[in-house]
């Protein structure tokens, strides 16, 4: 019955009042367009930075987090994500600050932008308008202008690829030539598999959504997927309106595994989502198998999402795409509009 709902394409589109499914169909296009939109900005950048700091809230912080995960072992300088009103003390004129706000009106990010500007750091903004656009124009701050009319979380492909372009142009990504085109190819292939028109039996995202229905998802993956696990958690909050938690391995071996010994009534509503990486470190993957065995039968369900591709970026983005779609399908299974964010707006209006 539930499976049938996900295969009634017209009903899905009718329930999806804010058009999240359409936005997801543009994921590949968004990666290409965001990359183009950041073209030429490096002319404003002096290079030789001590760190890259990405300031943003909610979905507008995720691009920085994904970049940081991807380049964790390879970036010659630290990549730091700042979520809040204030920047860390180390941020000065030798820092490249990328301030990201889809709406351009998020109070915390605008405060951080002002702070960075005052401290003399090199600033780039990524926004679709609002106060951030106005400030960027008035002060001559290089800006990547995003298309209006989307939900902030749906603009991630545009934001992320613009950040990737900037990071590449300042010399942080040595593997760009090998990884970027491969990642685009993987996303292009996934487009059809994950689309609403593809029936559940061939559609990984629909299968994940069905498995998670009625549960509270706990999402874990290897360290390079920490941002993706967090993104899935926040997409489940926003698109599916469900509580969720996330973490990464090996850290989870040292704490989360203890759920196993807890009282049954707390464990029963949980589902465990494990991000699996066929290209990952053997000893880590073996321990994830052991973690899974320990929790088998102790939580209501265990769902595995396997990364596609060889390069780290392909693996990260493939899981991101499956999870984004799964969160939208789950919201639709609950009969909710994935795009609605009334409670976030209520707090912003304060
Ligand atoms: O996904 C969302 O709608 C939120 O998480 C927003 O990204 C967050 O509230 C920040 O808003 P903005 O991206 O406009 O700065």
């Amino acid at each position: 019955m539930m499976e049938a709902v996900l295969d009634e394409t017209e009903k899905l589109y009718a329930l999806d009042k804010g058009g999240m499914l359409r936005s997801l169909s543009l994921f590949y296009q968004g990666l290409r367009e965001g990359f183009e939109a950041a073209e030429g900005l490096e002319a404003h950048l002096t290079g030789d930075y001590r760190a890259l700091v990405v300031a943003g809230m909610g979905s507008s912080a995720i691009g920085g987090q994904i970049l940081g995960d991807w380049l964790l072992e390879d970036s010659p300088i630290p990549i730091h994500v700042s979520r809040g009103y204030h920047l860390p003390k180390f941020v000065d004129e030798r820092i490249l600050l990328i301030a990201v706000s889809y709406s351009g009106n998020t109070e915390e990010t605008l405060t951080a932008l002002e702070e960075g500007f005052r401290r003399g750091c090199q600033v780039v903004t990524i926004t679709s308008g609002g106060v951030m656009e106005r400030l960027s124009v008035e002060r001559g701050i290089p800006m990547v202008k995003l298309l209006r009319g989307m939900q902030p979380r749906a603009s991630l492909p545009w934001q992320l690829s613009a950040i990737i372009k900037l990071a590449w142009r300042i010399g942080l990504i040595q593997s760009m030539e090998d990884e970027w085109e491969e990642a685009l190819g993987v996303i292009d292939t996934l487009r059809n598999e994950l689309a609403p028109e593809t029936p559940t039996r061939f559609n990984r995202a629909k299968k994940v959504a069905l498995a998670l229905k009625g549960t509270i998802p706990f999402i874990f993956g290897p360290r390079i997927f920490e941002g993706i696990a967090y993104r899935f958690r926040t997409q489940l909050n926003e698109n599916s309106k469900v509580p969720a938690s996330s973490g990464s391995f090996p850290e989870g071996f040292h704490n989360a595994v203890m759920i196993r010994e807890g009282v049954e009534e707390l464990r029963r509503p949980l589902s465990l989502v494990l991000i699996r990486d066929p290209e990952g470190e053997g000893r880590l993957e073996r321990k994830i198998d052991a973690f899974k065995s320990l929790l088998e039968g102790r939580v209501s369900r265990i769902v595995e999402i396997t990364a596609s591709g060889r390069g780290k970026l392909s693996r990260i983005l493939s899981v991101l795409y499956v999870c984004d779609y799964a969160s939208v399908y789950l919201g639709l299974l609950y009969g909710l509009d994935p795009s609605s964010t009334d409670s976030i707006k209520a707090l912003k209006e304060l």
Side-chain angles (χ1 to χ4, degrees):
M1 162 60 195
M2 275 190 334
E3 179 164 343
V5 173
L6 285 185
D7 289 340
E8 290 175 38
T9 314
E10 274 175 31
K11 276 200 189 150
L12 287 185
Y13 284 112
L15 266 173
D16 179 31
K17 296 192 189 66
M20 201 55 92
L21 289 170
R22 182 174 145 67
S23 297
L24 278 176
S25 73
L26 302 177
F27 198 101
Y28 172 86
Q29 185 182 325
L31 288 173
R32 284 220 177 272
E33 288 179 358
F35 200 72
E36 292 286 305
E39 185 61 44
L41 283 191
E42 69 274 12
H44 302 268
L45 308 180
T46 49
D48 197 22
Y49 298 107
R50 280 198 302 126
L52 168 63
V53 174
V54 179
M57 299 304 299
S59 310
S60 289
I62 300 285
Q65 193 174 359
I66 293 176
L67 181 83
D69 288 350
W70 173 27
L71 302 181
L72 190 66
E73 290 158 18
D74 303 312
S75 173
I77 59 171
I79 297 170
H80 177 85
V81 179
S82 185
R83 293 176 163 102
Y85 291 98
H86 301 292
L87 296 169
K89 193 159 187 177
F90 73 79
V91 174
D92 61 16
E93 67 287 344
R94 297 266 321 271
I95 299 299
L96 175 59
L97 173 68
I98 307 182
V100 190
S101 170
Y102 180 74
S103 61
N105 291 323
T106 298
E107 186 189 15
E108 297 92 329
T109 316
L110 290 171
T111 309
L113 170 63
E114 282 288 351
E115 222 170 73
F117 198 73
R118 272 204 310 277
R119 291 190 206 172
C121 39
Q122 171 81 65
V123 185
V124 174
T125 56
I126 301 182
T127 185
S128 74
V131 177
M132 188 173 273
E133 179 180 17
R134 182 171 56 71
L135 288 177
S136 306
V137 172
E138 279 171 12
R139 297 176 186 182
I141 298 174
M143 173 178 62
V144 176
K145 182 80 168 43
L146 303 171
L147 285 179
R148 281 170 185 274
M150 271 182 269
Q151 284 299 321
R153 53 195 176 282
S155 72
L156 179 64
W158 285 263
Q159 298 184 16
L160 173 64
S161 56
I163 293 173
I164 288 176
K165 176 77 153 274
L166 288 167
W168 176 41
R169 287 291 160 84
I170 64 165
L172 304 196
I173 313 175
Q174 309 311 323
S175 56
M176 190 68 181
E177 312 284 328
D178 301 330
E179 294 213 48
W180 179 243
E181 286 302 324
E182 189 212 355
L184 286 173
V186 165
I187 293 298
D188 195 20
T189 310
L190 279 174
R191 267 203 286 197
N192 287 335
E193 181 194 325
L194 306 177
E197 290 72 17
T198 303
T200 303
R201 61 182 187 285
F202 302 119
N203 189 319
R204 264 193 288 170
K206 288 185 181 177
K207 283 187 194 151
V208 171
L210 283 166
L212 297 186
K213 177 129 194 281
T215 71
I216 299 177
F218 269 47
I219 310 136
F220 284 87
R223 176 60 188 87
I224 64 159
F225 297 92
E226 188 173 280
I228 297 302
Y230 180 71
R231 162 76 170 182
F232 193 25
R233 162 181 162 185
T234 61
Q235 289 286 75
L236 288 164
N237 296 153
E238 296 183 50
N239 292 335
S240 341
K241 287 60 163 155
V242 301
S245 183
S246 66
S248 68
F249 297 127
E251 178 63 15
F253 303 144
H254 301 271
N255 33 59
V257 68
M258 291 304 294
I259 296 172
R260 174 173 184 264
E261 296 171 36
V263 288
E264 211 206 327
E265 65 195 271
L266 294 179
R267 281 187 275 109
R268 206 182 306 121
L270 304 182
S271 55
L272 184 64
V273 179
L274 295 174
I275 299 170
R276 303 307 304 258
D277 184 6
E279 301 290 326
E281 206 171 332
R283 60 180 170 178
L284 186 77
E285 289 298 318
R286 281 193 295 279
K287 264 203 177 175
I288 298 176
D289 286 335
F291 180 94
K292 182 182 160 193
S293 309
L294 284 171
L295 286 159
E296 216 125 47
R298 307 276 174 143
V299 291
S300 89
R301 233 153 285 160
I302 298 185
V303 179
E304 294 188 89
I305 301 176
T306 304
S308 315
R310 291 194 64 80
K312 282 183 191 164
L313 186 63
S314 302
R315 281 140 62 202
I316 288 173
L317 293 188
S318 61
V319 179
L320 168 68
Y321 203 22
V322 173
C323 292
D324 271 15
Y325 256 119
S327 69
V328 174
Y329 290 133
L330 184 59
L332 297 172
L333 274 175
Y334 285 128
L336 299 165
D337 176 10
S339 300
S340 69
T341 47
D342 295 347
S343 307
I344 295 179
K345 284 188 198 131
L347 289 176
K348 282 191 177 176
E349 273 156 25
L350 286 179

